């Protein structure tokens, strides 16, 4: 049976590899810390399986990349794609603050449990527990600010991919960013508010896939599974 959605453009969400703070669980927003050696190997391993001619992420099918300016994301880009492939991407790469990690404000560098304890000490959250997805961060970003910058990226992607819903031209897009912001991006892609309860996981160095149903730019979808031999055709 033919794949009814074959040829539909895809958006690949790539989380940077492990850092010391992803290991410890500390909030890492504006802090610019490097990948660990294990983090670099995570990305290299993902690249070996996922990236290449005829693989899921086929460089010849990529028309645009959006990359966070944090060095953990930039290093992930370097490890994911060889120098020759990166050279072929000239003019296709946008390094943008719109997909940098959530600004955690007062919570930068601390654990979620410490953030909650600090809020309690300051007399907050008396009526209900704090939820970053709906309440945001003190002296940091709130969900409305996250929504605004992610929607700008989504609008650009829809403009790129909209005319080619049936595979008339390869227009896959890659985002290389961070765990929290990519999960927020997936919510906005599907049309949900940032604060909607939609538990998702994205491990360091891992790849998520978004696309569209019925070759329709107005029907964005989450691709629950992909064939490891799928060429996107």
């Amino acid at each position: 049976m033919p794949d009814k959605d074959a040829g539909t453009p895809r958006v690949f969400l790539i989380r940077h590899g492990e850092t010391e703070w992803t290991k410890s669980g500390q909030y890492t927003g504006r802090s610019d810390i490097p990948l660990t050696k294990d983090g670099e190997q995570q990305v290299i391993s993902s690249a070996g399986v996922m990236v290449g001619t005829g693989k899921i992420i086929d460089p010849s099918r990529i028309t645009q990349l959006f990359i966070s300016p944090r060095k953990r994301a930039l290093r992930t880009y370097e490890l994911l794609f060889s120098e020759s492939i990166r050279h072929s991407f000239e003019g296709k790469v946008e390094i943008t603050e719109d997909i940098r990690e959530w600004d955690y404000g007062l919570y930068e560098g601390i654990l979620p449990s410490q953030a909650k304890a600090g809020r309690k000490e300051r007399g907050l959250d008396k009526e209900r527990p704090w939820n970053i997805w709906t309440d945001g961060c003190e002296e940091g970003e709130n969900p409305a600010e996250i929504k605004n910058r992610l929607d700008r990226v989504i609008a650009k992607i829809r403009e790129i991919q909209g005319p080619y819903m049936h595979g008339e031209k390869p227009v896959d897009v890659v985002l290389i960013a961070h765990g929290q912001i990519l999960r927020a991006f997936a919510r906005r892609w599907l049309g949900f508010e940032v604060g909607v309860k939609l538990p998702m996981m994205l491990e360091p160095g891992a790849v998520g896939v978004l696309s569209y149903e019925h070759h329709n730019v107005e029907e964005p979808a989450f691709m629950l599974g992909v064939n490891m031999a799928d060429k996107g055709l």
Side-chain angles (χ1 to χ4, degrees):
M1 183 176 178
D3 181 356
K4 66 182 178 62
D5 291 323
T8 308
R10 296 175 178 181
V11 178
F12 298 100
L13 308 182
I14 300 172
R15 184 182 178 186
H16 65 74
E18 175 194 83
T19 70
E20 289 296 338
W21 283 11
T22 58
K23 287 171 60 178
S24 62
Q26 293 165 263
Y27 282 125
T28 318
R30 58 184 178 272
S31 297
D32 214 1
I33 60 179
L35 303 183
T36 63
K37 288 185 178 180
D38 286 344
E40 293 200 348
Q41 188 57 52
Q42 287 169 340
V43 179
I44 292 169
S45 296
S46 290
V49 173
M50 305 283 284
V51 178
T53 302
K55 295 184 179 180
I56 292 172
I57 304 177
D58 188 330
S60 69
R61 300 186 61 82
I62 295 172
T63 193
Q64 183 70 38
L65 301 93
F66 296 95
I67 306 174
S68 163
R70 301 298 174 260
K71 61 185 175 185
R72 55 195 184 274
L74 295 172
R75 179 58 175 158
T76 295
Y77 170 61
E78 291 175 352
L79 294 170
L80 197 64
F81 299 106
S82 68
E83 185 176 357
S84 61
I85 291 174
R86 297 198 308 273
H87 182 73
S88 73
F89 288 157
E90 186 174 352
K92 297 180 179 180
V93 175
E94 181 177 341
I95 298 172
T96 172
E97 291 280 345
D98 279 345
I99 58 164
R100 60 172 167 77
E101 184 58 295
W102 199 305
D103 185 340
Y104 295 114
L106 290 183
Y107 315 144
E108 183 75 9
I110 66 174
L111 300 172
S113 59
Q114 294 172 317
K116 292 176 182 178
R119 290 178 63 92
K120 184 176 181 180
E121 290 175 1
R122 292 188 289 277
L124 302 174
D125 312 319
K126 293 180 178 179
E127 296 183 1
R128 61 175 177 80
W130 170 66
N131 182 339
I132 189 173
W133 297 102
T134 55
D135 302 323
C137 301
E138 295 174 88
E139 299 183 17
E141 285 185 292
N142 61 49
E145 290 169 321
I146 297 295
K147 173 182 181 295
N148 288 340
R149 60 182 172 95
L150 293 181
D151 284 359
R152 287 195 292 268
V153 178
I154 290 172
K156 290 179 181 179
I157 295 173
R158 300 270 167 83
E159 185 176 357
I160 291 168
Q161 296 183 331
Y164 307 106
M165 284 288 105
H166 293 269
E168 299 91 339
K169 174 182 175 182
V171 286
D172 286 347
V173 169
V174 171
L175 273 68
I176 303 177
H178 314 270
Q180 188 102 357
I181 203 66
L182 288 176
R183 286 180 287 155
F185 183 93
R187 287 172 166 86
R188 291 305 302 148
W189 181 264
L190 298 173
F192 297 131
E193 291 300 320
V194 172
V196 73
K197 185 175 175 55
L198 187 65
M200 290 181 284
M201 298 174 66
L202 187 62
E203 295 180 340
V207 178
V209 188
L210 303 173
S211 189
Y212 308 86
E213 286 191 295
H214 310 120
H215 302 279
N216 187 348
V217 74
E218 301 299 330
E219 296 185 56
F222 173 70
M223 190 167 281
L224 188 60
V226 292
N227 187 325
M228 296 301 286
D230 190 351
K231 298 181 180 181
L233 302 175

